[in-house]
Coordinates of all heavy atoms in Angstrom, one line a residue:
M1 N 0.8 -1.2 0.0 CA 0.0 0.0 0.0 C 0.9 1.2 0.0 O 1.9 1.3 0.6 CB -0.9 0.0 1.3 CG -2.0 1.1 1.2 SD -3.0 0.8 2.6 CE -2.9 2.5 3.3
A2 N 0.5 2.3 -0.7 CA 1.2 3.5 -0.8 C 1.2 4.2 0.6 O 0.3 4.2 1.3 CB 0.7 4.4 -1.8
A3 N 2.3 4.9 0.9 CA 2.5 5.5 2.2 C 1.8 6.9 2.1 O 2.0 7.7 1.2 CB 4.0 5.7 2.4
K4 N 1.0 7.2 3.1 CA 0.3 8.4 3.2 C 1.2 9.5 3.8 O 1.1 10.7 3.4 CB -1.0 8.3 4.0 CG -2.0 7.4 3.3 CD -3.3 7.4 4.0 CE -4.3 6.6 3.3 NZ -5.7 6.9 3.5
L5 N 2.1 9.1 4.7 CA 3.0 10.0 5.3 C 4.4 9.6 4.9 O 4.8 8.4 5.1 CB 2.9 10.1 6.8 CG 1.5 10.6 7.3 CD1 1.4 10.4 8.9 CD2 1.3 12.0 6.9
R6 N 5.2 10.5 4.5 CA 6.6 10.2 4.0 C 7.6 11.1 4.7 O 7.2 12.2 5.2 CB 6.7 10.4 2.5 CG 5.8 9.4 1.8 CD 6.0 9.6 0.3 NE 5.0 8.8 -0.4 CZ 4.6 9.0 -1.6 NH1 5.1 10.0 -2.3 NH2 3.7 8.2 -2.3
K7 N 8.9 10.8 4.6 CA 9.9 11.6 5.1 C 9.9 12.9 4.4 O 9.7 13.1 3.2 CB 11.3 10.9 4.8 CG 12.5 11.6 5.2 CD 13.7 10.8 4.9 CE 15.0 11.6 5.3 NZ 16.2 10.8 5.0
G8 N 10.0 14.0 5.2 CA 10.0 15.3 4.7 C 8.7 16.0 4.8 O 8.6 17.2 4.6
D9 N 7.6 15.3 5.1 CA 6.3 15.9 5.2 C 6.2 16.7 6.5 O 6.7 16.4 7.5 CB 5.2 14.8 5.2 CG 5.0 14.1 3.9 OD1 5.4 14.7 2.9 OD2 4.3 13.1 3.8
K10 N 5.5 17.8 6.4 CA 5.2 18.6 7.5 C 3.9 18.1 8.2 O 2.8 18.0 7.4 CB 5.0 20.1 7.1 CG 5.0 21.1 8.3 CD 5.1 22.5 7.8 CE 4.8 23.5 8.9 NZ 5.8 23.4 10.0
V11 N 3.9 17.7 9.4 CA 2.8 17.1 10.1 C 2.4 17.8 11.4 O 3.2 18.5 11.9 CB 3.0 15.6 10.4 CG1 3.1 14.8 9.1 CG2 4.3 15.4 11.2
I12 N 1.2 17.5 11.9 CA 0.8 18.0 13.1 C 0.4 16.8 14.0 O -0.1 15.8 13.5 CB -0.4 19.0 13.0 CG1 -0.8 19.7 14.3 CG2 -1.6 18.3 12.4 CD1 -1.7 20.9 14.1
V13 N 0.6 16.9 15.3 CA 0.3 15.8 16.2 C -1.2 15.9 16.7 O -1.6 17.0 17.1 CB 1.2 15.8 17.4 CG1 0.9 14.7 18.4 CG2 2.7 15.7 17.0
L14 N -1.9 14.9 16.5 CA -3.4 14.9 16.8 C -3.7 14.4 18.3 O -4.7 14.8 18.8 CB -4.1 14.0 15.9 CG -4.0 14.3 14.4 CD1 -4.7 13.2 13.6 CD2 -4.6 15.6 14.1
A15 N -2.8 13.6 18.9 CA -3.1 13.1 20.2 C -1.8 12.9 21.0 O -0.7 12.8 20.4 CB -3.8 11.7 20.1
G16 N -1.9 12.8 22.3 CA -0.8 12.6 23.1 C -0.3 13.8 23.8 O -0.9 14.9 23.8
K17 N 0.9 13.7 24.5 CA 1.4 14.8 25.3 C 1.8 16.0 24.4 O 1.9 17.1 24.9 CB 2.6 14.4 26.2 CG 3.8 13.9 25.4 CD 5.0 13.6 26.2 CE 6.1 13.3 25.4 NZ 7.4 13.4 26.1
D18 N 2.1 15.8 23.1 CA 2.6 16.8 22.2 C 1.5 17.3 21.3 O 1.8 17.8 20.2 CB 3.8 16.4 21.5 CG 5.0 16.1 22.4 OD1 5.2 16.9 23.3 OD2 5.7 15.2 22.1
K19 N 0.2 17.1 21.7 CA -0.9 17.4 20.8 C -0.8 18.9 20.3 O -0.6 19.8 21.2 CB -2.2 17.2 21.6 CG -3.4 17.5 20.8 CD -4.7 17.2 21.5 CE -5.9 17.4 20.7 NZ -7.2 17.1 21.5
G20 N -1.0 19.1 19.0 CA -1.0 20.5 18.5 C 0.4 20.9 18.0 O 0.4 21.9 17.3
L21 N 1.5 20.2 18.3 CA 2.8 20.6 17.8 C 3.0 20.2 16.4 O 2.4 19.2 15.9 CB 3.9 19.9 18.7 CG 4.1 20.5 20.1 CD1 5.2 19.7 20.8 CD2 4.4 21.9 20.1
T22 N 3.7 20.9 15.6 CA 4.0 20.6 14.3 C 5.5 20.4 14.1 O 6.3 20.8 14.9 CB 3.6 21.8 13.3 OG1 4.3 22.9 13.6 CG2 2.1 21.9 13.3
G23 N 5.9 19.6 13.1 CA 7.3 19.3 12.8 C 7.4 18.6 11.4 O 6.4 18.2 10.8
E24 N 8.6 18.3 11.1 CA 8.9 17.6 9.8 C 9.3 16.2 10.1 O 10.0 16.0 11.1 CB 10.0 18.4 9.1 CG 10.3 17.8 7.7 CD 11.4 18.6 7.0 OE1 11.3 19.8 7.0 OE2 12.3 17.9 6.4
I25 N 8.8 15.2 9.4 CA 9.1 13.8 9.6 C 10.6 13.6 9.1 O 11.0 14.0 8.0 CB 8.2 12.9 8.7 CG1 6.8 13.0 9.2 CG2 8.7 11.5 8.8 CD1 5.8 12.2 8.5
K26 N 11.4 13.1 10.0 CA 12.8 12.8 9.7 C 13.0 11.4 9.3 O 13.8 11.1 8.4 CB 13.7 12.9 11.0 CG 13.8 14.4 11.4 CD 14.5 15.2 10.3 CE 14.5 16.6 10.5 NZ 14.8 17.4 9.4
S27 N 12.2 10.4 9.8 CA 12.2 9.0 9.3 C 10.9 8.3 9.6 O 10.2 8.7 10.5 CB 13.4 8.3 10.0 OG 13.2 8.1 11.3
V28 N 10.6 7.3 8.8 CA 9.4 6.5 8.9 C 9.7 5.0 9.0 O 10.6 4.6 8.2 CB 8.4 6.8 7.7 CG1 7.2 6.0 7.8 CG2 8.1 8.2 7.6
D29 N 9.1 4.3 9.9 CA 9.2 2.8 10.0 C 7.8 2.3 9.7 O 7.0 2.1 10.6 CB 9.7 2.5 11.4 CG 9.9 0.9 11.5 OD1 9.8 0.3 10.5 OD2 10.2 0.5 12.6
P30 N 7.6 1.9 8.4 CA 6.2 1.4 8.1 C 5.9 0.1 8.7 O 4.7 -0.1 9.0 CB 6.3 1.3 6.5 CG 7.7 1.5 6.1 CD 8.5 2.0 7.3
K31 N 6.8 -0.7 9.0 CA 6.6 -2.0 9.6 C 6.0 -1.9 11.0 O 5.1 -2.5 11.4 CB 7.8 -2.9 9.6 CG 7.5 -4.3 9.8 CD 8.8 -5.2 9.4 CE 8.3 -6.6 9.3 NZ 9.4 -7.5 8.7
A32 N 6.6 -0.9 11.7 CA 6.2 -0.7 13.1 C 5.1 0.4 13.1 O 4.4 0.5 14.2 CB 7.3 -0.1 14.0
G33 N 4.8 1.1 12.0 CA 3.8 2.1 12.0 C 4.2 3.3 12.8 O 3.3 3.9 13.4
K34 N 5.4 3.7 12.8 CA 5.9 4.8 13.6 C 6.8 5.8 12.8 O 7.3 5.3 11.7 CB 6.7 4.3 14.8 CG 5.8 3.6 15.8 CD 6.6 3.2 17.0 CE 5.7 2.5 18.0 NZ 5.7 3.1 19.3
A35 N 6.9 7.0 13.2 CA 7.7 8.0 12.5 C 8.4 8.8 13.6 O 7.9 9.1 14.7 CB 6.9 8.8 11.6
V36 N 9.6 9.3 13.3 CA 10.3 10.3 14.1 C 10.1 11.6 13.5 O 10.3 11.9 12.3 CB 11.8 9.9 14.1 CG1 12.6 11.0 14.9 CG2 12.1 8.5 14.7
V37 N 9.5 12.5 14.4 CA 9.2 13.9 13.9 C 10.1 14.9 14.7 O 10.2 14.8 15.9 CB 7.7 14.2 14.2 CG1 7.4 15.7 13.7 CG2 6.8 13.2 13.5
E38 N 10.7 15.8 14.0 CA 11.6 16.8 14.6 C 10.8 17.6 15.6 O 9.8 18.2 15.3 CB 12.1 17.6 13.4 CG 13.0 18.8 13.9 CD 13.5 19.6 12.7 OE1 12.8 19.7 11.7 OE2 14.5 20.2 12.8
G39 N 11.4 17.7 16.8 CA 10.8 18.5 17.9 C 9.6 18.0 18.6 O 8.9 18.7 19.4
V40 N 9.2 16.7 18.3 CA 8.0 16.1 18.9 C 8.4 14.9 19.6 O 9.3 14.2 19.2 CB 7.0 15.8 17.8 CG1 5.8 15.0 18.4 CG2 6.5 17.1 17.2
N41 N 7.8 14.6 20.8 CA 8.1 13.4 21.6 C 9.5 13.3 22.0 O 10.2 12.3 21.7 CB 7.6 12.1 20.8 CG 7.4 10.9 21.7 OD1 7.2 11.0 22.9 ND2 7.5 9.7 21.1
I42 N 10.1 14.3 22.6 CA 11.4 14.4 23.0 C 11.7 13.7 24.3 O 10.9 13.9 25.2 CB 11.9 15.9 23.1 CG1 11.6 16.7 21.8 CG2 13.3 16.0 23.6 CD1 12.6 16.2 20.7
A43 N 12.7 12.9 24.3 CA 13.1 12.1 25.5 C 14.5 12.6 25.8 O 15.3 12.9 25.0 CB 13.0 10.7 25.4
I44 N 14.9 12.6 27.1 CA 16.3 12.9 27.5 C 17.0 11.6 27.7 O 16.6 10.7 28.4 CB 16.3 13.6 28.9 CG1 15.4 14.9 28.8 CG2 17.6 13.9 29.4 CD1 16.0 16.0 27.9
R45 N 18.1 11.5 26.9 CA 19.0 10.4 27.0 C 20.3 10.8 27.7 O 20.8 11.9 27.5 CB 19.4 9.9 25.6 CG 18.2 9.2 25.0 CD 17.8 7.9 25.6 NE 16.6 7.4 25.2 CZ 15.5 7.2 26.0 NH1 15.6 7.5 27.3 NH2 14.4 6.6 25.6
H46 N 20.8 9.9 28.6 CA 22.0 10.2 29.4 C 23.2 9.5 28.7 O 23.1 8.3 28.5 CB 21.9 9.8 30.8 CG 20.7 10.5 31.6 ND1 19.4 10.2 31.3 CD2 20.8 11.5 32.4 CE1 18.7 11.1 32.1 NE2 19.5 11.9 32.8
A47 N 24.3 10.3 28.5 CA 25.4 9.7 27.9 C 26.6 9.8 28.8 O 26.8 10.8 29.5 CB 25.7 10.4 26.5
K48 N 27.4 8.7 28.9 CA 28.5 8.7 29.8 C 29.7 9.4 29.0 O 29.8 9.4 27.8 CB 29.0 7.3 30.1 CG 29.9 7.1 31.2 CD 30.1 5.7 31.6 CE 31.1 5.6 32.7 NZ 31.2 4.2 33.2
Q49 N 30.5 10.2 29.8 CA 31.6 10.9 29.1 C 32.6 9.9 28.6 O 32.9 8.9 29.2 CB 32.3 11.8 30.2 CG 33.3 12.8 29.6 CD 33.8 13.7 30.7 OE1 33.4 13.7 31.8 NE2 34.7 14.6 30.3
S50 N 33.2 10.3 27.4 CA 34.2 9.5 26.9 C 35.3 10.4 26.4 O 35.2 11.6 26.5 CB 33.7 8.6 25.7 OG 33.4 9.5 24.6
Q51 N 36.4 9.8 25.9 CA 37.5 10.7 25.5 C 37.2 11.6 24.3 O 37.7 12.7 24.3 CB 38.7 9.7 25.1 CG 40.1 10.3 25.3 CD 41.1 9.3 25.2 OE1 40.9 8.2 24.7 NE2 42.3 9.5 25.8
S52 N 36.3 11.2 23.5 CA 36.0 12.0 22.3 C 34.7 12.8 22.5 O 34.6 13.9 21.9 CB 35.7 11.1 21.1 OG 34.7 10.2 21.4
S53 N 33.8 12.5 23.4 CA 32.6 13.2 23.6 C 32.3 13.5 25.1 O 32.6 12.7 25.9 CB 31.4 12.6 23.0 OG 31.1 11.4 23.7
E54 N 31.7 14.7 25.2 CA 31.4 15.1 26.6 C 30.0 14.4 27.0 O 29.2 14.2 26.2 CB 31.2 16.6 26.7 CG 31.1 17.1 28.1 CD 30.9 18.6 28.0 OE1 31.5 19.3 27.1 OE2 30.3 19.2 29.0
G55 N 29.9 13.9 28.2 CA 28.7 13.3 28.6 C 27.6 14.3 28.9 O 27.7 15.5 28.7
G56 N 26.5 13.8 29.5 CA 25.4 14.7 29.9 C 24.1 14.2 29.4 O 24.0 13.1 28.9
R57 N 23.1 15.1 29.5 CA 21.8 14.8 29.1 C 21.6 15.4 27.7 O 21.8 16.5 27.4 CB 20.8 15.5 30.1 CG 20.9 14.9 31.4 CD 20.3 15.8 32.5 NE 19.0 16.3 31.9 CZ 17.8 16.2 32.6 NH1 17.8 15.6 33.8 NH2 16.7 16.7 32.1
T58 N 21.1 14.5 26.8 CA 20.9 14.9 25.4 C 19.4 14.7 25.0 O 18.9 13.6 25.2 CB 21.7 14.1 24.4 OG1 22.7 13.3 25.1 CG2 22.4 14.9 23.4
P59 N 18.7 15.7 24.5 CA 17.4 15.5 24.0 C 17.4 14.7 22.7 O 18.2 15.0 21.8 CB 16.9 16.9 23.8 CG 18.0 17.8 23.7 CD 19.2 17.1 24.4
K60 N 16.5 13.7 22.6 CA 16.4 12.9 21.4 C 15.0 12.7 21.0 O 14.2 12.3 21.9 CB 17.1 11.6 21.7 CG 17.1 10.6 20.6 CD 17.7 9.3 20.9 CE 17.6 8.3 19.7 NZ 18.0 6.9 20.1
P61 N 14.6 12.9 19.8 CA 13.2 12.7 19.3 C 13.0 11.2 19.2 O 13.7 10.5 18.6 CB 13.1 13.4 18.0 CG 14.5 13.6 17.5 CD 15.4 13.6 18.7
M62 N 11.9 10.7 19.8 CA 11.5 9.3 19.9 C 10.4 9.1 18.8 O 9.7 10.0 18.5 CB 11.1 8.9 21.3 CG 12.1 9.1 22.3 SD 13.7 8.2 22.0 CE 13.2 6.6 22.4
P63 N 10.2 7.8 18.4 CA 9.1 7.6 17.4 C 7.8 7.8 18.0 O 7.5 7.6 19.1 CB 9.3 6.1 17.1 CG 10.7 5.7 17.5 CD 11.0 6.7 18.6
I64 N 6.9 8.2 17.1 CA 5.4 8.4 17.5 C 4.6 7.7 16.5 O 5.0 7.5 15.3 CB 5.1 9.9 17.5 CG1 3.8 10.2 18.0 CG2 5.3 10.6 16.1 CD1 3.5 11.7 18.3
Q65 N 3.5 7.2 16.9 CA 2.5 6.4 16.1 C 2.0 7.2 14.9 O 1.6 8.4 15.1 CB 1.4 5.9 17.0 CG 0.6 4.8 16.4 CD 1.3 3.5 16.5 OE1 2.1 3.2 17.3 NE2 1.0 2.6 15.5
L66 N 2.0 6.6 13.8 CA 1.5 7.3 12.6 C 0.0 7.7 12.7 O -0.3 8.7 12.1 CB 1.7 6.4 11.3 CG 3.1 6.2 10.8 CD1 3.2 5.2 9.7 CD2 3.7 7.5 10.4
S67 N -0.7 7.0 13.4 CA -2.2 7.3 13.5 C -2.4 8.6 14.3 O -3.4 9.2 14.2 CB -3.0 6.2 14.2 OG -2.4 6.0 15.5
N68 N -1.4 9.0 15.1 CA -1.5 10.3 15.8 C -0.9 11.5 15.1 O -0.8 12.6 15.6 CB -0.7 10.1 17.2 CG -1.3 9.1 18.1 OD1 -2.5 8.8 18.0 ND2 -0.5 8.5 18.9
L69 N -0.6 11.3 13.8 CA -0.1 12.4 13.0 C -1.0 12.6 11.8 O -1.7 11.7 11.3 CB 1.3 12.0 12.4 CG 2.4 11.7 13.4 CD1 3.6 11.2 12.7 CD2 2.7 12.9 14.2
A70 N -1.1 13.9 11.4 CA -1.9 14.3 10.2 C -1.0 15.3 9.4 O -0.4 16.1 10.0 CB -3.2 14.9 10.6
I71 N -1.1 15.2 8.1 CA -0.3 16.1 7.3 C -0.9 17.5 7.3 O -2.1 17.6 7.5 CB -0.2 15.5 5.8 CG1 1.0 16.1 5.1 CG2 -1.5 15.8 5.1 CD1 1.4 15.2 4.0
V72 N -0.1 18.5 7.2 CA -0.5 19.9 7.2 C -0.7 20.4 5.8 O 0.2 20.3 4.9 CB 0.5 20.8 8.0 CG1 0.0 22.3 7.9 CG2 0.6 20.3 9.4
D73 N -1.9 21.0 5.5 CA -2.2 21.5 4.1 C -1.7 22.9 3.9 O -1.0 23.5 4.9 CB -3.7 21.4 3.8 CG -4.5 22.3 4.7 OD1 -4.0 23.0 5.5 OD2 -5.8 22.2 4.5
A74 N -2.0 23.5 2.8 CA -1.4 24.9 2.5 C -2.0 25.9 3.5 O -1.4 27.0 3.7 CB -1.8 25.2 1.1
N75 N -3.2 25.7 4.1 CA -3.8 26.6 5.0 C -3.2 26.5 6.4 O -3.5 27.2 7.4 CB -5.3 26.4 5.1 CG -5.9 26.6 3.7 OD1 -5.4 27.4 2.9 ND2 -7.0 26.0 3.5
G76 N -2.4 25.4 6.7 CA -1.8 25.2 8.0 C -2.7 24.4 8.9 O -2.5 24.3 10.1
K77 N -3.7 23.7 8.3 CA -4.6 22.8 9.1 C -4.3 21.4 8.8 O -3.8 21.0 7.7 CB -6.1 23.1 8.7 CG -6.5 24.5 9.1 CD -8.0 24.7 9.0 CE -8.5 25.9 9.6 NZ -9.9 26.0 9.7
A78 N -4.8 20.5 9.7 CA -4.6 19.1 9.5 C -5.5 18.6 8.4 O -6.7 19.0 8.3 CB -4.9 18.3 10.9
T79 N -5.0 17.7 7.6 CA -5.9 17.1 6.5 C -5.6 15.6 6.4 O -4.6 15.2 6.8 CB -5.6 17.9 5.2 OG1 -6.5 17.3 4.2 CG2 -4.2 17.7 4.8
R80 N -6.6 15.0 5.8 CA -6.3 13.5 5.4 C -5.7 13.5 4.0 O -5.8 14.5 3.2 CB -7.6 12.8 5.4 CG -8.1 12.6 6.9 CD -9.4 11.9 6.9 NE -10.4 12.7 6.2 CZ -11.7 12.3 5.9 NH1 -12.0 11.1 6.1 NH2 -12.5 13.1 5.2
V81 N -5.1 12.4 3.7 CA -4.4 12.2 2.4 C -5.2 11.3 1.5 O -5.7 10.3 1.9 CB -3.0 11.7 2.6 CG1 -2.3 11.4 1.3 CG2 -2.2 12.6 3.5
G82 N -5.4 11.7 0.2 CA -6.0 10.9 -0.8 C -5.1 10.6 -1.9 O -4.0 11.3 -2.0
F83 N -5.4 9.7 -2.8 CA -4.6 9.3 -3.9 C -5.5 9.5 -5.2 O -6.6 9.2 -5.2 CB -4.1 7.9 -3.8 CG -3.1 7.7 -2.7 CD1 -3.5 7.2 -1.5 CD2 -1.8 8.0 -2.9 CE1 -2.7 7.0 -0.5 CE2 -0.8 7.8 -1.9 CZ -1.3 7.3 -0.7
R84 N -4.8 10.0 -6.3 CA -5.5 10.1 -7.5 C -4.5 10.0 -8.6 O -3.3 10.1 -8.4 CB -6.3 11.4 -7.7 CG -5.5 12.7 -7.7 CD -6.2 13.9 -7.9 NE -5.4 15.1 -7.7 CZ -5.8 16.2 -7.1 NH1 -6.9 16.3 -6.6 NH2 -4.9 17.2 -7.0
M85 N -5.0 9.7 -9.8 CA -4.1 9.5 -11.0 C -4.0 10.9 -11.7 O -5.0 11.5 -12.0 CB -4.6 8.5 -11.9 CG -4.6 7.1 -11.4 SD -3.1 6.5 -10.8 CE -2.2 6.3 -12.3
D86 N -2.8 11.3 -11.9 CA -2.5 12.5 -12.6 C -1.8 12.1 -13.9 O -0.6 12.1 -13.9 CB -1.6 13.5 -11.7 CG -1.6 14.9 -12.2 OD1 -2.5 15.3 -12.9 OD2 -0.6 15.6 -11.9
G87 N -2.6 11.8 -14.9 CA -2.0 11.3 -16.1 C -1.6 9.8 -15.8 O -2.4 9.0 -15.5
E88 N -0.3 9.6 -15.9 CA 0.3 8.2 -15.7 C 0.7 8.1 -14.2 O 1.0 7.0 -13.8 CB 1.4 7.9 -16.6 CG 1.0 7.7 -18.1 CD 0.2 6.4 -18.2 OE1 0.6 5.4 -17.7 OE2 -0.9 6.5 -18.8
N89 N 0.8 9.2 -13.5 CA 1.4 9.2 -12.2 C 0.3 9.2 -11.1 O -0.7 9.8 -11.2 CB 2.3 10.4 -11.9 CG 3.4 10.5 -12.9 OD1 3.9 9.5 -13.4 ND2 3.8 11.7 -13.3
K90 N 0.6 8.4 -10.0 CA -0.3 8.4 -8.9 C 0.2 9.4 -7.9 O 1.4 9.4 -7.5 CB -0.2 7.0 -8.2 CG -1.2 6.8 -7.1 CD -1.1 5.4 -6.6 CE -2.1 5.1 -5.5 NZ -2.0 3.7 -5.0
V91 N -0.6 10.4 -7.5 CA -0.1 11.5 -6.6 C -1.0 11.5 -5.4 O -2.2 11.1 -5.4 CB -0.2 12.9 -7.4 CG1 0.8 12.9 -8.5 CG2 -1.6 13.2 -7.8
R92 N -0.4 12.0 -4.3 CA -1.1 12.2 -3.1 C -1.7 13.7 -3.1 O -1.1 14.6 -3.7 CB -0.1 12.2 -1.9 CG 0.5 10.8 -1.7 CD 1.4 10.8 -0.5 NE 2.5 11.8 -0.6 CZ 3.0 12.4 0.5 NH1 2.8 12.0 1.7 NH2 3.9 13.3 0.3
F93 N -2.9 13.8 -2.5 CA -3.5 15.2 -2.5 C -4.2 15.4 -1.1 O -4.5 14.4 -0.4 CB -4.5 15.4 -3.6 CG -5.8 14.6 -3.5 CD1 -6.9 15.2 -2.9 CD2 -5.8 13.3 -3.9 CE1 -8.1 14.5 -2.8 CE2 -7.1 12.6 -3.8 CZ -8.2 13.2 -3.3
A94 N -4.3 16.6 -0.7 CA -4.9 17.0 0.5 C -6.4 17.0 0.3 O -6.9 17.6 -0.6 CB -4.4 18.4 1.0
K95 N -7.1 16.3 1.2 CA -8.6 16.2 1.1 C -9.3 17.5 1.3 O -10.3 17.7 0.8 CB -9.1 15.1 2.1 CG -8.7 13.7 1.8 CD -9.7 13.0 1.0 CE -9.3 11.5 0.9 NZ -10.4 10.7 0.5
T96 N -8.7 18.4 2.2 CA -9.3 19.7 2.4 C -9.3 20.6 1.3 O -10.3 21.3 0.9 CB -8.7 20.3 3.7 OG1 -7.3 20.4 3.5 CG2 -9.0 19.5 5.0
T97 N -8.1 20.8 0.7 CA -7.9 21.7 -0.4 C -7.9 21.2 -1.8 O -8.2 21.9 -2.8 CB -6.6 22.5 -0.2 OG1 -5.5 21.6 -0.2 CG2 -6.6 23.3 1.1
G98 N -7.6 19.9 -1.9 CA -7.5 19.2 -3.2 C -6.2 19.4 -3.9 O -5.9 18.9 -5.0
D99 N -5.2 20.1 -3.2 CA -3.9 20.4 -3.8 C -3.0 19.1 -3.7 O -3.1 18.3 -2.8 CB -3.2 21.5 -3.0 CG -3.9 22.8 -3.1 OD1 -4.7 23.0 -4.1 OD2 -3.7 23.6 -2.2
A100 N -2.2 18.9 -4.7 CA -1.3 17.8 -4.7 C -0.2 18.1 -3.7 O 0.2 19.2 -3.5 CB -0.7 17.6 -6.1
L101 N 0.3 17.0 -3.1 CA 1.3 17.1 -2.0 C 2.7 16.8 -2.6 O 2.9 16.0 -3.4 CB 1.0 16.2 -0.8 CG -0.3 16.4 -0.1 CD1 -0.6 15.3 0.9 CD2 -0.3 17.8 0.6

């Protein structure tokens, strides 16, 4: 099945502790149904000091469920994704505006 959300898409979080935040998808794991979104679902990871790097607390974005994300349309609102044929090419489009993504 074609992916509705892909790397580089601007998305908004629909549910959870980061509800309402927007960010860009950095990576997608379709098998697990999760995506890593920049600036969303941040966890603090502790790193031990080594000879090459300083230790401390580092913020790291963690994966979030794809069902809790919606793509942002041209108006800046959450929208669902549809598919249509544009000549020979299958393209994704925003259901709210009808614009191709």
Side-chain angles (χ1 to χ4, degrees):
M1 190 173 125
K4 294 189 178 202
L5 297 175
R6 296 181 188 159
K7 180 179 174 180
D9 286 345
K10 190 169 172 65
V11 293
I12 188 166
V13 181
L14 300 175
K17 66 174 184 162
D18 294 323
K19 182 178 180 176
L21 290 180
T22 59
E24 187 178 312
I25 295 180
K26 291 294 167 199
S27 67
V28 179
D29 182 6
K31 200 165 194 170
K34 295 183 177 231
V36 175
V37 181
E38 176 182 26
V40 173
N41 199 23
I42 301 293
I44 301 293
R45 290 290 169 242
H46 297 74
K48 195 171 182 178
Q49 186 174 2
S50 69
Q51 211 167 17
S52 59
S53 66
E54 191 177 334
R57 297 164 41 123
T58 347
K60 179 183 178 189
M62 301 302 284
I64 188 168
Q65 197 71 30
L66 286 174
S67 62
N68 293 334
L69 300 174
I71 203 156
V72 176
D73 64 4
N75 302 332
K77 293 192 171 188
T79 182
R80 291 178 298 167
V81 177
F83 293 95
R84 65 177 173 221
M85 295 303 289
D86 194 24
E88 289 292 312
N89 302 328
K90 186 177 184 180
V91 295
R92 298 180 303 156
F93 72 96
K95 293 266 189 160
T96 53
T97 59
D99 297 336
L101 297 173

